[in-house]
Amino acid sequence: MNYEYEDFVELLRRMVMAALELKEEQIFFVKGEEKVPFEEDRLFVRCEEQESACEICGLHTRDAYEKYKNGLSLEEITGKMVQAVRQIENAGYLGKILDAADYEKTKDKLFIRLINIEKNKQDLDHAVYKSIGDIALVLYMKVEETKERLASVKIRKEFLDGWKQEPDQVFSDALLNTYYNSPPRIYRWEAMVWNPEYEGENFMDILTECQLKKNAMGNCLSTVKRTNGAVAVFLPGVAKRLAYLLGGSFYMVFTSVHEVMIHIDTMVDPEDLKEVLYSTIQETTPPEDILTYKIYHYDKDTECFSCL
């Protein structure tokens, strides 16, 4: 039997409720855009509750319905959702997040991630971030990290107020953590093609010789982990080191959240870079990985970033 979307969601809700032995009030459906900041339809499951907070797991019902229409059974979909909820329950995320009220317990878990301001206005309402042009450097806390995934949460302004720390110091701590957790690297395309084990060039090591390209091709900057690697250019000492190796100021072309192309500004026209960026994004960058369509600049003399 093929169910319409609304019937599918209700049946899925009841099957998940039965499998997890939940009460009616512990699982509920929210239609996307009816309740800020949720943009997608989701089933919400109340996993754990304490006096001051509760842990809620959101299950994407539109994705589940597409899988159902493509042949996955309701039983299989329910099983995967139940498994996901139980993993979250076993991870103890709520206790770890509540620990964020103590800065000494939290500061080593802080890191910075880049997101587009215009695309994420609602999501940034209570977030802690600094902006450069249309890019937000957002403060996150690592909750759990494995080889397969990184679980994290945005730090809310209320936490920052409670820490009684200077915001600049908090950002400095987070940027330093980001640097050491995933150090910056320059990646050469030819090496990436021919060597699957290639791990990039450690250009920050002053004892290692690293020649950057000063032609129109530019240099690909990311991090050791490559995921969300575009943040590398804002990490401590990175832009200054790049300017030193290039012998001048440079443009930044953010082809995705995972990497940024670095071009010495005496060799390229920013309008040409803008055209290349647009076509690159349209052809190769998934929508969720788009950071910006703007070109950025770092001035070697003032050590300042700007959006053109």
Side-chain angles (χ1 to χ4, degrees):
M1 180 177 182
N2 291 323
Y3 293 98
E4 294 298 321
Y5 177 66
E6 289 75 11
D7 296 328
F8 166 83
V9 170
E10 178 55 25
L11 187 55
L12 183 63
R13 188 184 76 84
R14 294 195 173 278
M15 290 176 70
V16 172
M17 181 171 66
L20 291 171
E21 299 180 345
L22 302 172
K23 297 176 182 178
E24 283 279 352
E25 62 270 20
Q26 288 181 281
I27 180 168
F28 54 94
F29 175 67
V30 174
K31 193 167 182 62
E33 299 181 358
E34 284 187 357
K35 190 172 184 180
V36 175
F38 307 118
E39 297 178 354
E40 301 176 19
D41 295 0
R42 296 184 199 178
L43 270 179
F44 286 98
V45 178
R46 299 174 76 96
C47 300
E48 182 185 351
E49 296 189 44
Q50 296 187 21
E51 287 185 8
S52 59
C54 69
E55 183 175 68
I56 296 179
C57 176
L59 305 170
H60 295 263
T61 53
R62 286 285 179 188
D63 289 345
Y65 188 58
E66 287 302 315
K67 291 174 182 175
Y68 169 72
K69 289 196 297 183
N70 289 328
L72 202 63
S73 70
L74 260 165
E75 290 75 16
E76 290 174 298
I77 293 170
T78 300
K80 290 180 182 296
M81 288 187 167
V82 168
Q83 183 182 24
V85 172
R86 285 181 173 152
Q87 283 178 341
I88 289 173
E89 289 177 330
N90 294 335
Y93 290 152
L94 183 59
K96 294 174 183 177
I97 292 171
L98 291 176
D99 281 346
D102 185 332
Y103 186 67
E104 289 306 311
K105 291 181 179 179
T106 306
K107 69 177 183 180
D108 291 340
K109 303 173 186 175
L110 299 176
F111 68 98
I112 299 295
R113 181 177 288 166
L114 307 184
I115 66 175
N116 181 272
I117 293 175
E118 293 301 315
K119 286 199 306 180
N120 298 276
K121 278 185 177 179
Q122 291 180 341
D123 210 22
L124 290 171
D125 274 350
H126 295 280
V128 179
Y129 66 95
K130 291 187 176 183
S131 59
I132 299 175
D134 66 342
I135 294 175
L137 285 74
V138 186
L139 186 64
Y140 279 79
M141 182 186 76
K142 180 168 60 179
V143 179
E144 182 186 42
E145 185 173 20
T146 65
K147 289 183 178 180
E148 292 77 27
R149 67 181 181 185
L150 170 66
S152 62
V153 294
K154 293 184 186 70
I155 291 295
R156 294 173 62 92
K157 293 175 182 176
E158 293 85 348
F159 278 111
L160 186 63
D161 294 339
W163 288 340
K164 302 189 185 307
Q165 300 284 329
E166 289 295 325
D168 285 345
Q169 182 59 51
V170 172
F171 265 88
S172 293
D173 291 342
L175 285 167
L176 204 57
N177 290 342
T178 310
Y179 185 104
Y180 286 119
N181 190 48
S182 190
R185 292 289 186 269
I186 288 290
Y187 288 91
R188 305 196 189 285
W189 298 115
E190 59 275 17
M192 293 176 70
V193 170
W194 296 109
N195 182 8
E197 305 300 320
Y198 180 59
E199 296 181 346
E201 311 292 328
N202 185 8
F203 66 98
M204 294 297 291
D205 184 354
I206 60 173
L207 300 179
T208 302
E209 186 176 348
C210 181
Q211 298 292 327
L212 297 191
K213 294 180 180 178
K214 299 181 181 180
N215 55 23
M217 291 296 293
N219 304 270
C220 180
L221 173 67
S222 187
T223 62
V224 167
K225 295 181 180 178
R226 299 192 191 179
T227 301
N228 296 304
V231 71
V233 73
F234 298 116
L235 298 182
V238 171
K240 190 173 182 178
R241 176 68 173 164
L242 288 171
Y244 170 78
L245 292 173
L246 289 169
S249 305
F250 57 85
Y251 293 118
M252 292 160 279
V253 181
F254 293 92
T255 47
S256 82
V257 295
H258 304 302
E259 73 282 321
V260 52
M261 295 300 297
I262 305 297
H263 299 265
I264 187 167
D265 65 4
T266 56
M267 294 298 296
V268 288
D269 186 320
E271 288 301 320
D272 292 338
L273 292 178
K274 192 171 183 180
E275 290 183 16
V276 172
L277 173 60
Y278 182 83
S279 61
T280 301
I281 288 176
Q282 295 303 309
E283 293 171 10
T284 65
T285 309
E288 64 272 16
D289 290 343
I290 297 172
L291 180 60
T292 179
Y293 282 94
K294 298 180 184 297
I295 304 300
Y296 284 74
H297 185 259
Y298 175 79
D299 189 287
K300 179 178 180 292
D301 297 325
T302 63
E303 299 183 5
C304 291
F305 294 97
S306 60
C307 176
L308 301 186

